[in-house]
Amino acid sequence: MYPIGMPGWVYVFTYNHNWIAGSVELAGILGMILGLVNAIRGVEKEPKWLNRVMITAMAFGLTVSLYDFGGIKTWNQALEITMDVSFFAGVYFLGKKKPSGYLWFISMLASNAGLQYIKGATLLAYQQILSMAFIIDAYRHSQRKVVKI
């Protein structure tokens, strides 16, 4: 379902000058495509253009956002940028079947928890912290060695 709704969200975000969120949406769908291609073809056998487009989408969003808003001027902006870049990196690395993607998701959730706390949404901040437990568990499971008998 996510790919169907994604173009609408990209439009809404970019129309409202939320360049980073729009780029993250675009890069997120590309990350999902990367994961699907890797599942079908095998890791590191994806088209080179897919990697370039994903990285370009995120770099474009970050650059345009910094230009549009005249740089990073608030703590909230720093947390939002960290959250979005961490999401992009997490999707990208997990799409390549690299467990370090989970660590990027932990960074994303921590940034989001801080942002929600600053905005007074304490319950949402705690929800992000709880979500970190699931990501940490997934990371720990990805680090286990499989014993073949």
Side-chain angles (χ1 to χ4, degrees):
M1 285 312 258
Y2 175 80
I4 295 169
M6 187 272 303
W9 281 111
V10 170
Y11 173 78
V12 168
F13 287 137
T14 55
Y15 180 79
N16 291 307
H17 292 257
N18 196 339
W19 304 107
I20 295 175
S23 297
V24 165
E25 285 294 316
L26 180 59
I29 189 66
L30 294 171
M32 290 180 190
I33 292 169
L34 176 67
L36 182 61
V37 169
N38 280 339
I40 294 168
R41 290 186 174 183
V43 179
E44 302 298 330
K45 293 180 182 176
E46 71 275 353
K48 299 291 182 223
W49 65 266
L50 189 55
N51 280 319
R52 288 188 213 113
V53 170
M54 286 178 62
I55 293 168
T56 301
M58 193 62 210
F60 174 79
L62 182 58
T63 302
V64 171
S65 181
L66 291 174
Y67 176 79
D68 196 28
F69 292 106
I72 299 172
K73 296 183 177 180
T74 67
W75 183 242
N76 287 4
Q77 279 181 296
L79 287 171
E80 287 174 7
I81 288 171
T82 302
M83 181 177 64
D84 292 338
V85 170
S86 296
F87 171 77
F88 168 73
V91 168
Y92 180 78
F93 288 121
L94 286 176
K96 291 183 156 290
K97 298 191 179 206
K98 294 185 179 180
S100 61
Y102 292 117
L103 301 176
W104 284 101
F105 278 167
I106 292 169
S107 170
M108 173 194 66
L109 291 168
S111 298
N112 197 3
L115 187 61
Q116 297 305 323
Y117 184 78
I118 288 170
K119 291 186 175 190
T122 310
L123 185 61
L124 292 176
Y126 290 136
Q127 183 267 333
Q128 296 300 304
I129 293 168
L130 179 62
S131 294
M132 278 191 257
F134 292 105
I135 301 298
I136 289 168
D137 186 52
Y139 177 73
R140 288 180 52 228
H141 282 288
S142 74
Q143 298 302 302
R144 291 186 180 160
K145 302 285 185 205
V146 177
V147 179
K148 294 183 181 181
I149 300 175

